[in-house]
Amino acid sequence: MSLVALPFYQKRHRHFDQSYRNIQTRYLLDEYAAKKYQSLVASYGEARRQRFLRELAEMEGNVHEARLQAREKLDRHAVEQVVGGAVAPAGRVTAGPRGERAPEILVRLRSHTVWERTSVRLCFTVQGFPTPVVQWYKDGSLLCQAAEPGKYIIDGKYGVHTLEINRASFDDTATYSAVATNAHGQVSTHAAVVVKRFRGDEEPLRSVGLPIGLPLSSVVPYTHFDVQFLEKFGVTFRREGETVTLKCTLLVTPDLKRVRPRAEWYRDDVLLTESQWTKMFFGEGQASLSFSHLHKDDEGLYTLRIVSRGGVSDHSAFLFVRDADPLVMGAPGAPMDVRCHDANRDYVIVTWKPPNTTTEGAVIGYFVDRCEVGTDSWVQCNDAPVKVCRYPVTGLREGLSYTFRVRAVNSAGVSRPSRNSDAMAALDPVDTRTLRAVHLEGDKEIVLYQDDLEGDVQIPGPPTNVHASEISRTYVVLSWDPPVPRGKEPLMYFVEKSMVGSGSWQRVNAQVGVRSPRYAVFDLAEGKPYVFRVLSANKHGLSEPSEITPPIQAQDTVAAPSAPGRVFASRDTKTSVVVRWDRPRQDEDLLGYYVDCCVAGSNIWEPCNHKPIGYNRFVVHGLTPGEQYIFRVKAVNAVGTSENSQESDAIKVQAPLTVPSHPYGVTLLNCDGHSMTLGWKVPRFSGGAPILGYFVDKREAHHQNWHEVNSAPVQDRVLKVEDLTEGSLYEFKIAASNVVGVGQPSDPSELFKCEAWTAPEPGPAYDLTFCEVRDSSLVLLWKAPVYTGGSPVSGYLVDYREGDSGEWVTANEAATANRYLKVTSPTPRPIAPGSRCLAPRSRPARGTGEEGASALRVCRVTASGTKEVSVGVDEQGDIYLSFDCPEVTDASRFTWCKSYEELADDEKFRVETVGDHSKLYLKHPDKADLGTYSVSVSDTDGVSSSFVLDEKELERLMALSNEIKNPIIPLKSELAYEIFDKGQVRFWLQAEHLSPDASYRFIINDREVPDSETHRIKCDKSTGIIEMVMDRFTIENEGTYTVQIHDGKAKNQSSLVLIGDAFKAVLDEAEFQRKEFLRKQGPHFAEYLHWDVTEECEVRLVCKVANTRKDTVFKWLKDDVLYETESLPDLERGVCELLIPKLSKKDHGEYKATLKDERGQDQTVLEIGGKVYDDMILAMSRVCGASASPLKILCTPEGIRLQCFLKYYSEAMKANWYHKDAKIASSEHMRAGGSEEMAWLQICEPTEKDKGKYTFEIFDGKENHQRSLDLSGAAFDEALAEFQQLKAAAFAEKNRGKVVGGLPDVVTIMEGKTLNLTCTVCGDPAPEVTWFKNDKDIELGEHFSVQVQQAKHVSVTIKGVTAEDSGKYSLSVKNKYGGEKIDVTVSVYKLGEETPVDCIRRLLRNGGSGAGPRR
């Protein structure tokens, strides 16, 4: 690089870059590669090593060449800035007045790797005015030359600053930082210095990256990397137990596979390593830190540092971790940062940090739990909660490892456990110090314990240096040194205590000896001093006691901290605030601070951090923009938390003041050949303060230097630039300024040619902006063109297109004369950012002009939280339009417009703006105020809205305004009446609200009624109820009733007209209530007679009685005839019932229930008949229909019968049968009928036409209850076959031979008489008749004769009967269909003998015990 390309202030400065280290590296590589190391040759081979060295040298050369090119570009840029600054006008620079500017680093620090005892020089270049002050830091600590004279040499001339480290040692390995500061800002640069140390012959090979050592990535890489963060993790909010990944996307240049920079993660400046809770990843263009299970221990400021030779690139953001939901409502959060200290054989001290209890009750103590490593069994160490965040745990088993956790306790319950501590081993660290190394011949050595050199010591000596290493109110920790000599046997210790002045000693650990040289003594009397001594023991015996300690008293040596001092809050971003505070006066052993916040006026405090912070400055994130907050701080130590500090002043959350952003949309509006008229758009953000003006710079094409156009800022965004050369090309850039300073200039405009405009078409519309962006519409605004062409502008056309490749489409078919247009979409949908372009075209009288300059790209999506203009009427009756903007800043301004023209008429409008709320008042609303009103808020991300005030809405608002300006007392209810039980009539109304001074009056028929015994008037102003009670309402009270109310300026009245039928209804009701009251003085019916139907389908008549006594008589009557019941009703129950089973028409009549005693009588009547009877049948139909059985088939000789069984069936029920959904009419073929328990349908002589679905339906007045059966297929065939069988059997039964009658069962006849037995027989055909005696055929003759007359009358005659004729006679009648046989017993007795009939009678007279005469 030639010296010409260097800035003048760098020509004498030697630039150290990669080249000098390349030479040294190559020398070392060549030197060490030439040596013959047998072990390395055996492991890798000479050829492999040489190839690696060549590749490494080639890579170093490529990187060096790339760095040279980058350095040349950087220096060229620096020269251009210096030259441009020298010729810039003295009136203004971009950073501030009179050339002042913030520091800017031109050449940054570079990292170095050097050998031990060599020197290294760090240098960087910075510019700024006033000259920046530079300070050097090592690992964050300020470097001081006086501390080590000659070690550090710091120099700085002409903006080039150097730090030289002489004879660097291994301890000089660190990160060095340079900070340049002046009145306008501060910048810094960082670099790492790695000092390598020689360790034998093989160490240099390891240090330069050969495969036999550590990888190159474990130290600062030799290669310079440029690191750019593409995506960064932001402030993150999570809850305990959740997972989260902090990730950054990086662009690393150059991208080398074998060499890359080192990624380091820090939490609160503490380097993190991978653990069971955290996993790290670096590669593939990203670096991430993942948490598998968050705890509050993980809260803090996380920093990702990418370290390379080119310096350190870092990014930081805070991770907030809230408490998980408590196991018990109101329980505190879990403690955190559990650590183990001073571990020994059976003893360890556990410490932790207390939780923040802003929203919970105060912590009253802690429980400490321990767990052996490898198990899941947790054991509670303390029985009672310990009040300080420190506890000595004893009773550990030597050689085992333990983890610990802590739980907080308050009045509500116990918290969740903390994160487990790191595992600790119960071992005595003194054991390692007793090792001794004894050197033998050559390089050999042996390791012995000091005990082996002490000889044969049996009884140990007493411990020494017994003292209290820790004192608290509940315990004292004693520590001592082991005895010397101690012997070879294992030692134990016994601790004894004695209260001062008692003269007696008490052994503390009498049961179990202590293995560790320290012990925690509990159960000490409060306020009493003690002395202690310790004895050592082994298996051989007990030593002498140690020296007695000085008196020790159990007391708290650390007190709770005092409250922090004043708290200051300052603006940071739109969602964060910086909180600072003064440290407390008593800040000993502080663990940190907790910060709380509260929305101003709410008094609801929330924690800002959930882990104590160790510094007195904190950035509170996650706040609501535009909201006001108050902050307080409390200090934390092991004893607990301090009192809350004083509250800070309320602060509004909004971004700090900055310079405005750059203007944009620079447009040429007119040119006359010697001047150009420019226009531009206002910066999107004003920096929090109003914009004071604009500065314009110009330059000709191909010129490097910019020249100012205006030395003083211009207020308007249209400027005419004079004194230009005709035909030349110019470009412009514009910068905005506010009270903070001048912002960055805009990008250079396109090249504008200075030539006169003579076209007849108008120039472009300019200042194209949009507002009210919604999903389906937006409003486009612009200003009229400066150059109008050959005629005035008559209108505008707006074009739009989708994306960059779409065609332009005209939004409005007809040109609009307005300078605004609402563009709507027939299919509202979100569009990707930058995918919609719009541009207006001005239209003169003769044609269409140019497109509006700087067509806009718009994402047509409604922003979240978008608010709209609302209208209303205030308490004074004024009509207003209101708009809220939470994103408002101090520099924001509400601009109200009508038809998108700013309102300037103070006689018709008034604007009131307070904070983020603005109202536009209509002073004298009329029809001239109709139209579109819009509002926009500057210094926001395009917040705007509009409202169309139409005639209907204006009428509504004016009516509401009139009601407020001419108030009336609102009424909750108008004047109404109410009739009491005694027949009293109450007139009342209720107002919304009445003041104590309100007055009222009642007017009846235009005459005021005063409060009296007949008209009791009163008012409850707390409820707004005004009432008048009349004891007796008569025919004279007909008329109009009015109540008039006055309350301040407000008034109202309400009237009630009671005339004609309305009055008669009130009078009748009052008289009825009066009679009812008198009726109820004696026994009466509380509920009159009514009926229902039971589940058994019985009609139940029910009435309720009241005010009965034992002598009260109750009767049931039907048609004034006493109705007998099985049991008398129980009047004490108050319910009387009468059941009517199987209701039918015979139960028609008047049913009456009566009550009577000496106090009076009452009755209730129910007429069963007509509609009442029909309703009862319907109710019974409902019960029967719900309980009806499925249809069943019964075959008979006549046909097929379908049956449905019911709880009760009556022909009065509305029941129908359907065949194939057609109603069946009763006929000879199909007959419907039923009994009390069944309804049936008889299908006579069924045929194929009778197949199909049959439905039985019963109607209960509301719904139909149906039961269906499909009589077809197999069901019909089986039923038809059974019917035919039954029909044939019935026919045979009808026509078979049988005896119709005439024969007795027994015949008694006296001997010698003639016996004639005659009977009638039937059958078709005529039956065949046969007589039998004792089952044998009778031989006919003179003694026996048989006669058959007309084939019906059959007789047998026995002439001169004898005793031999006694026996069984049978008549057999039979034809082809069958027959039957009838038996007759004939008994013949002699004259004088007792007949069988007389014998039976005698036996009956004697009671059946006597015996008859013997024969």
Side-chain angles (χ1 to χ4, degrees):
M1 182 186 303
S2 65
L3 293 177
V4 179
L6 288 175
F8 71 95
Y9 52 82
Q10 293 186 6
K11 291 183 179 180
R12 296 183 181 181
H13 175 63
R14 180 185 177 188
H15 287 268
F16 290 92
D17 53 18
Q18 188 73 20
S19 59
Y20 85 97
R21 278 192 298 278
N22 288 344
I23 298 171
Q24 184 180 14
T25 302
R26 293 191 187 96
Y27 173 77
L28 291 173
L29 289 172
D30 295 338
E31 178 183 356
Y32 284 97
K35 295 183 179 181
K36 304 294 185 179
Y37 296 111
Q38 297 298 327
S39 61
L40 294 180
V41 172
S43 302
Y44 301 100
E46 183 65 17
R48 187 174 181 180
R49 183 170 66 254
Q50 290 296 339
R51 183 171 64 255
F52 174 80
L53 295 177
R54 285 196 302 272
E55 292 175 356
L56 182 60
E58 183 180 356
M59 181 181 65
E60 293 271 352
N62 293 337
V63 173
H64 175 59
E65 183 179 356
R67 287 181 56 84
L68 287 177
Q69 294 176 359
R71 180 63 178 275
E72 184 178 359
K73 293 180 181 179
L74 183 63
D75 291 342
R76 185 182 300 113
H77 177 67
V79 170
E80 290 176 358
Q81 287 188 335
V82 172
V83 175
V87 299
R92 175 185 56 85
V93 294
T94 59
R98 294 180 297 177
E100 297 182 354
R101 65 181 66 233
E104 180 182 4
I105 294 178
L106 302 179
V107 180
R108 307 187 71 85
L109 290 176
R110 297 178 176 86
S111 298
H112 294 262
T113 301
V114 298
W115 294 114
E116 196 175 28
R117 294 187 297 277
T118 60
S119 298
V120 62
R121 178 178 294 178
L122 305 177
C123 63
F124 77 104
T125 304
V126 64
Q127 67 177 10
F129 188 85
T131 302
V133 177
V134 176
Q135 291 178 310
W136 290 87
Y137 293 82
K138 175 184 177 182
D139 286 338
S141 299
L142 183 65
L143 280 179
C144 180
Q145 291 178 278
E148 295 182 69
K151 179 68 175 178
Y152 303 105
I153 300 176
I154 300 175
D155 191 15
K157 292 180 180 179
Y158 309 110
V160 179
H161 297 266
T162 61
L163 168 66
E164 185 173 359
I165 306 173
N166 290 323
R167 295 184 61 80
S169 64
F170 187 78
D171 294 333
D172 291 323
T173 299
T175 298
Y176 292 80
S177 305
V179 180
T181 309
N182 68 5
H184 300 286
Q186 184 182 84
V187 293
S188 62
T189 178
H190 313 274
V193 174
V194 178
V195 182
K196 307 296 291 184
R197 175 179 295 173
F198 287 89
R199 290 184 180 177
D201 295 335
E202 297 177 358
E203 181 61 23
L205 289 175
R206 292 193 178 98
S207 65
V208 298
L210 289 179
I212 58 176
L214 295 175
L216 281 173
S217 59
S218 64
V219 296
V220 176
Y222 287 96
T223 307
H224 178 96
F225 290 94
D226 292 325
V227 180
Q228 181 181 0
F229 287 93
L230 303 180
E231 295 181 5
K232 304 176 182 179
F233 61 89
V235 177
T236 307
F237 297 87
R238 289 293 186 273
R239 186 186 293 270
E240 279 189 308
E242 297 179 349
T243 61
V244 70
T245 298
L246 307 180
K247 182 172 65 174
C248 283
T249 303
L250 311 171
L251 177 60
V252 180
T253 307
D255 186 9
L256 304 178
K257 295 183 178 180
R258 299 181 59 182
V259 181
R260 63 181 182 182
R262 183 173 76 252
E264 297 176 344
W265 286 92
Y266 292 82
R267 179 175 62 236
D268 299 330
D269 297 330
V270 177
L271 182 64
L272 298 179
T273 58
E274 285 198 351
S275 67
Q276 61 173 326
W277 313 110
T278 58
K279 299 297 180 184
M280 300 178 185
F281 174 78
F282 180 49
E284 301 177 2
Q286 65 179 17
S288 63
L289 176 65
S290 300
F291 299 85
S292 59
H293 190 281
L294 282 173
H295 286 79
K296 289 186 294 184
D297 306 60
D298 299 317
E299 182 173 285
L301 180 66
Y302 283 82
T303 302
L304 171 61
R305 303 180 65 188
I306 307 299
V307 182
S308 71
R309 184 179 173 186
V312 176
S313 301
D314 57 13
H315 167 68
S316 300
F318 211 92
L319 171 62
F320 293 88
V321 183
R322 294 184 297 161
D323 287 303
D325 293 333
L327 300 176
V328 179
M329 184 63 68
M336 68 210 80
D337 198 15
V338 180
R339 300 188 180 185
C340 300
H341 308 274
D342 200 16
N344 220 291
R345 286 190 178 98
D346 55 0
Y347 169 93
V348 69
I349 292 179
V350 179
T351 62
W352 59 91
K353 293 180 180 178
N356 192 352
T357 57
T358 302
T359 57
E360 299 89 12
V363 174
I364 59 177
Y366 303 90
F367 286 117
V368 181
D369 303 333
R370 72 169 185 261
C371 177
E372 293 183 10
V373 174
T375 67
D376 295 328
S377 177
W378 288 92
V379 179
Q380 185 172 303
C381 300
N382 52 320
D383 296 330
V386 58
K387 297 184 180 300
V388 296
C389 299
R390 186 180 181 91
Y391 184 73
V393 178
T394 59
L396 305 181
R397 296 174 59 188
E398 184 177 0
L400 296 181
S401 295
Y402 295 88
T403 58
F404 297 88
R405 70 182 187 188
V406 183
R407 294 170 293 146
V409 185
N410 67 1
S411 58
V414 183
S415 73
R416 292 178 179 271
S418 66
R419 173 181 281 179
N420 300 347
S421 69
D422 294 335
M424 54 75 57
L427 298 173
D428 191 349
V430 178
D431 290 345
T432 60
R433 295 197 294 268
T434 62
L435 294 175
R436 293 291 184 270
V438 179
H439 291 275
L440 302 178
E441 296 180 0
D443 296 334
K444 298 180 180 180
E445 62 182 17
I446 61 174
V447 179
L448 300 175
Y449 279 95
Q450 181 67 31
D451 303 344
D452 299 330
L453 305 177
E454 292 181 354
D456 296 332
V457 177
Q458 294 184 349
I459 298 178
T464 59
N465 191 24
V466 181
H467 63 283
S469 59
E470 184 176 347
I471 301 176
S472 72
R473 190 158 56 95
T474 57
Y475 64 88
V476 172
V477 177
L478 297 176
S479 299
W480 57 88
D481 296 334
V484 179
R486 56 177 290 167
K488 299 180 181 179
E489 303 298 334
L491 279 180
M492 291 187 299
Y493 303 95
F494 293 95
V495 179
E496 295 181 348
K497 67 178 181 180
S498 175
M499 188 180 296
V500 174
S502 65
S504 61
W505 289 91
Q506 179 184 357
R507 182 162 293 180
V508 178
N509 58 326
Q511 302 296 329
V512 181
V514 180
R515 307 264 311 160
S516 304
R518 57 191 53 77
Y519 186 72
V521 182
F522 293 87
D523 300 328
L524 300 177
E526 187 173 356
K528 300 294 184 180
Y530 288 84
V531 293
F532 301 90
R533 65 185 185 186
V534 183
L535 298 87
S536 57
N538 59 14
K539 70 177 184 178
H540 297 294
L542 195 66
S543 73
E544 294 294 326
S546 67
E547 295 183 0
I548 300 175
T549 65
I552 301 171
Q553 183 175 335
Q555 59 186 1
D556 286 332
T557 57
V558 178
S562 58
R566 295 177 301 172
V567 181
F568 308 91
S570 58
R571 291 160 56 174
D572 184 47
T573 67
K574 287 186 177 181
T575 59
S576 63
V577 167
V578 178
V579 181
R580 298 178 178 86
W581 58 90
D582 295 335
R583 297 183 181 274
R585 295 179 180 178
Q586 300 178 1
D587 58 353
E588 300 85 5
D589 302 320
L590 275 185
L591 298 177
Y593 302 92
Y594 281 125
V595 182
D596 300 334
C597 69
C598 170
V599 176
S602 68
N603 201 29
I604 300 176
W605 291 92
E606 296 290 340
C608 299
N609 61 313
H610 309 85
K611 176 182 175 182
I613 54 175
Y615 33 86
N616 61 337
R617 178 185 181 275
F618 187 66
V619 180
V620 180
H621 292 273
L623 304 179
T624 303
E627 193 68 77
Q628 289 192 338
Y629 287 86
I630 300 173
F631 299 89
R632 69 185 185 190
V633 184
K634 51 192 173 187
V636 183
N637 67 2
V639 177
T641 58
S642 69
E643 297 293 331
N644 292 317
S645 67
Q646 294 182 352
E647 298 175 0
S648 69
D649 295 333
I651 183 172
K652 190 174 183 180
V653 181
Q654 53 189 5
L657 296 178
T658 60
V659 295
S661 61
H662 61 81
Y664 63 101
V666 181
T667 308
L668 178 61
L669 304 179
N670 195 7
C671 182
D672 58 6
H674 300 285
S675 65
M676 293 183 181
T677 302
L678 303 177
W680 59 89
K681 296 176 182 176
V682 67
R684 288 184 171 87
F685 298 99
S686 65
I691 294 178
L692 302 179
Y694 301 90
F695 294 97
V696 181
D697 291 345
K698 68 178 181 180
R699 73 177 177 185
E700 290 189 43
H702 308 300
H703 285 215
Q704 297 294 327
N705 299 329
W706 289 90
H707 303 277
E708 70 174 12
V709 174
N710 56 315
S711 58
V714 294
Q715 303 294 328
D716 296 331
R717 286 182 284 113
V718 177
L719 178 65
K720 188 174 184 179
V721 182
E722 305 282 356
D723 301 329
L724 301 179
T725 303
E726 187 173 4
S728 298
L729 296 175
Y730 292 89
E731 60 181 345
F732 304 88
K733 64 179 182 180
I734 302 169
S737 66
N738 60 9
V739 294
V740 179
V742 181
Q744 293 294 324
S746 65
D747 294 333
S749 68
E750 60 179 292
L751 291 173
F752 298 135
K753 189 174 184 179
C754 184
E755 59 181 4
W757 288 10
T758 59
E761 294 83 7
Y766 72 99
D767 199 15
L768 176 62
T769 58
F770 59 87
C771 60
E772 302 174 33
V773 180
R774 304 296 185 265
D775 291 341
S776 59
S777 65
L778 59 84
V779 175
L780 197 65
L781 308 174
W782 61 88
K783 291 185 178 179
V786 175
Y787 177 76
T788 59
S791 62
V793 176
S794 62
Y796 302 90
L797 297 173
V798 176
D799 297 338
Y800 70 92
R801 71 180 181 186
E802 301 283 344
D804 294 330
S805 60
E807 296 182 358
W808 288 93
V809 180
T810 301
N812 52 328
E813 297 180 358
T816 176
N818 300 321
R819 292 194 297 275
Y820 65 89
L821 181 67
K822 186 170 185 179
V823 181
T824 59
S825 173
T827 56
R829 58 184 176 88
I831 303 175
S835 63
R836 191 174 184 85
C837 297
L838 301 101
R841 292 178 289 152
S842 52
R843 183 175 182 177
R846 296 192 299 269
T848 302
E850 298 180 10
E851 290 183 356
S854 303
L856 288 180
R857 294 182 179 272
V858 185
C859 176
R860 194 184 61 197
V861 178
T862 303
S864 61
T866 298
K867 296 183 179 295
E868 302 294 348
V869 174
S870 60
V871 295
V873 181
D874 63 7
E875 296 178 354
Q876 286 72 37
D878 296 332
I879 299 174
Y880 65 85
L881 289 87
S882 174
F883 185 70
D884 294 333
C885 178
E887 298 86 355
V888 70
T889 65
D890 290 344
S892 297
R893 176 174 173 264
F894 289 82
T895 303
W896 287 92
C897 303
K898 183 180 180 183
S899 298
Y900 297 97
E901 295 290 340
E902 187 171 355
L903 295 174
D905 190 354
D906 294 337
E907 294 183 0
K908 291 186 66 64
F909 303 100
R910 183 178 84 254
V911 177
E912 292 183 2
T913 301
V914 178
D916 60 356
H917 184 73
S918 180
K919 288 184 177 180
L920 173 66
Y921 286 91
L922 306 182
K923 292 183 178 180
H924 308 290
D926 53 25
K927 291 187 177 181
D929 294 322
L930 300 178
T932 301
Y933 291 84
S934 62
V935 61
S936 60
V937 186
S938 62
D939 203 46
T940 61
D941 194 10
V943 175
S944 57
S945 181
S946 66
F947 183 84
V948 178
L949 184 63
D950 56 18
E951 186 173 354
K952 182 178 180 181
E953 182 66 15
L954 181 61
E955 290 178 356
R956 184 187 70 83
L957 294 173
M958 293 181 67
L960 182 59
S961 174
N962 182 62
E963 292 179 3
I964 296 175
K965 290 181 178 180
N966 302 289
I968 62 174
I969 300 174
L971 300 180
K972 286 186 177 179
S973 61
E974 298 287 343
L975 185 62
Y977 69 88
E978 180 183 2
I979 301 176
F980 292 158
D981 294 341
K982 295 181 180 181
Q984 300 168 320
V985 180
R986 172 181 177 250
F987 295 90
W988 66 280
L989 62 77
Q990 184 174 12
E992 292 280 355
H993 175 72
L994 290 178
S995 69
D997 299 328
S999 62
Y1000 58 91
R1001 62 177 185 163
F1002 268 91
I1003 299 174
I1004 303 178
N1005 294 329
D1006 299 329
R1007 183 173 62 87
E1008 183 176 356
V1009 178
D1011 183 17
S1012 63
E1013 293 184 358
T1014 58
H1015 299 80
R1016 298 195 301 274
I1017 302 174
K1018 66 177 181 178
C1019 173
D1020 186 351
K1021 295 181 179 178
S1022 62
T1023 61
I1025 295 178
I1026 304 174
E1027 66 177 7
M1028 176 182 69
V1029 178
M1030 301 175 64
D1031 287 338
R1032 187 69 184 269
F1033 197 72
T1034 64
I1035 191 68
E1036 299 176 354
N1037 299 122
E1038 185 176 8
T1040 302
Y1041 294 76
T1042 303
V1043 178
Q1044 295 180 347
I1045 313 173
H1046 292 265
D1047 192 356
K1049 295 182 180 180
K1051 60 184 179 179
N1052 203 345
Q1053 75 175 26
S1054 180
S1055 298
L1056 179 65
V1057 179
L1058 295 179
I1059 298 176
D1061 293 339
F1063 172 75
K1064 187 174 183 303
V1066 177
L1067 182 63
D1068 292 344
E1069 179 67 17
E1071 187 65 21
F1072 172 77
Q1073 292 295 341
R1074 189 180 66 82
K1075 292 180 179 179
E1076 279 291 292
F1077 173 75
L1078 296 176
R1079 180 179 69 86
K1080 292 179 181 179
Q1081 303 308 306
H1084 63 277
F1085 290 95
E1087 288 186 10
Y1088 288 116
L1089 199 59
H1090 59 281
W1091 61 270
D1092 61 10
V1093 176
T1094 66
E1095 290 298 323
E1096 300 302 323
C1097 209
E1098 296 176 332
V1099 176
R1100 178 173 57 188
L1101 305 183
V1102 183
C1103 59
K1104 291 186 179 181
V1105 298
N1107 199 15
T1108 60
R1109 300 188 311 196
K1110 292 184 178 180
D1111 58 345
T1112 302
V1113 178
F1114 178 88
K1115 294 181 180 179
W1116 288 103
L1117 295 97
K1118 179 184 178 184
D1119 297 330
D1120 294 328
V1121 177
L1122 183 65
Y1123 193 96
E1124 297 293 339
T1125 58
E1126 295 181 358
S1127 60
L1128 294 176
D1130 185 3
L1131 298 182
E1132 292 183 358
R1133 275 183 62 229
V1135 179
C1136 300
E1137 298 180 352
L1138 175 64
L1139 292 177
I1140 305 177
K1142 299 180 180 179
L1143 180 70
S1144 61
K1145 289 186 178 181
K1146 63 182 179 61
D1147 296 313
H1148 281 207
E1150 182 184 76
Y1151 290 80
K1152 183 184 299 183
T1154 62
L1155 279 173
K1156 185 177 181 181
D1157 61 20
E1158 63 181 7
R1159 296 172 296 164
Q1161 62 181 3
D1162 196 7
Q1163 67 178 19
T1164 175
V1165 179
L1166 177 65
E1167 179 77 24
I1168 296 181
K1171 187 176 184 306
V1172 174
Y1173 177 78
D1174 294 340
D1175 292 341
M1176 290 180 177
I1177 293 296
L1178 291 176
M1180 295 169 64
S1181 299
R1182 186 177 304 112
V1183 176
C1184 293
S1187 61
S1189 69
L1191 295 183
K1192 297 182 179 180
I1193 300 173
L1194 177 66
C1195 295
T1196 66
E1198 291 80 14
I1200 300 175
R1201 175 175 292 186
L1202 304 181
Q1203 297 176 336
C1204 182
F1205 292 92
L1206 308 167
K1207 289 185 176 180
Y1208 176 68
Y1209 177 73
S1210 171
E1211 293 183 354
M1213 293 181 179
K1214 296 181 179 180
N1216 295 295
W1217 288 87
Y1218 294 86
H1219 178 217
K1220 297 180 181 179
D1221 296 331
K1223 186 176 181 182
I1224 299 175
S1226 184
S1227 64
E1228 291 295 331
H1229 182 58
M1230 290 188 181
R1231 301 194 307 273
S1235 62
E1236 292 182 352
E1237 297 180 351
M1238 177 180 63
W1240 50 261
L1241 174 68
Q1242 182 71 43
I1243 306 172
C1244 300
E1245 298 295 333
T1247 63
E1248 291 291 330
K1249 295 182 179 180
D1250 298 321
K1251 289 184 178 180
K1253 177 182 176 183
Y1254 287 84
T1255 301
F1256 173 68
E1257 178 183 272
I1258 184 169
F1259 180 64
D1260 65 3
K1262 294 182 179 180
E1263 59 179 331
N1264 293 315
H1265 301 272
Q1266 296 181 342
R1267 298 293 185 268
S1268 299
L1269 175 67
D1270 187 6
L1271 187 60
S1272 60
F1276 179 80
D1277 294 340
E1278 292 176 1
L1280 183 62
E1282 186 178 354
F1283 153 68
Q1284 292 173 347
Q1285 292 176 0
L1286 293 176
K1287 180 180 178 181
F1291 182 80
E1293 178 66 21
K1294 178 180 178 181
N1295 294 288
R1296 70 177 176 86
K1298 52 190 171 187
V1299 178
V1300 177
L1303 289 178
D1305 293 333
V1306 178
V1307 175
T1308 304
I1309 189 169
M1310 188 173 63
E1311 190 176 16
K1313 299 291 184 178
T1314 299
L1315 175 62
N1316 184 270
L1317 299 176
T1318 303
C1319 66
T1320 303
V1321 298
C1322 65
D1324 186 17
E1328 183 180 318
V1329 179
T1330 306
W1331 285 94
F1332 299 92
K1333 178 184 179 184
N1334 296 329
D1335 296 328
K1336 294 181 180 181
D1337 291 341
I1338 298 178
E1339 294 181 1
L1340 300 179
E1342 293 182 359
H1343 187 64
F1344 290 98
S1345 62
V1346 175
Q1347 290 183 355
V1348 178
Q1349 297 178 1
Q1350 300 177 357
K1352 293 192 299 182
H1353 305 290
V1354 178
S1355 63
V1356 60
T1357 303
I1358 305 174
K1359 295 179 180 180
V1361 295
T1362 63
E1364 295 177 354
D1365 294 324
S1366 296
K1368 182 179 74 172
Y1369 289 82
S1370 301
L1371 173 63
S1372 175
V1373 182
K1374 184 177 181 182
N1375 62 9
K1376 65 179 182 178
Y1377 295 111
E1380 64 181 0
K1381 190 176 183 181
I1382 304 299
D1383 296 331
V1384 177
T1385 301
V1386 177
S1387 178
V1388 179
Y1389 66 94
K1390 294 180 179 181
L1391 181 64
E1393 289 183 351
E1394 186 178 19
T1395 66
V1397 175
D1398 295 335
C1399 181
I1400 293 173
R1401 289 175 179 171
R1402 180 176 56 78
L1403 291 174
L1404 292 176
R1405 284 197 303 270
N1406 296 334
S1409 60
R1414 294 185 178 181
R1415 296 182 60 187

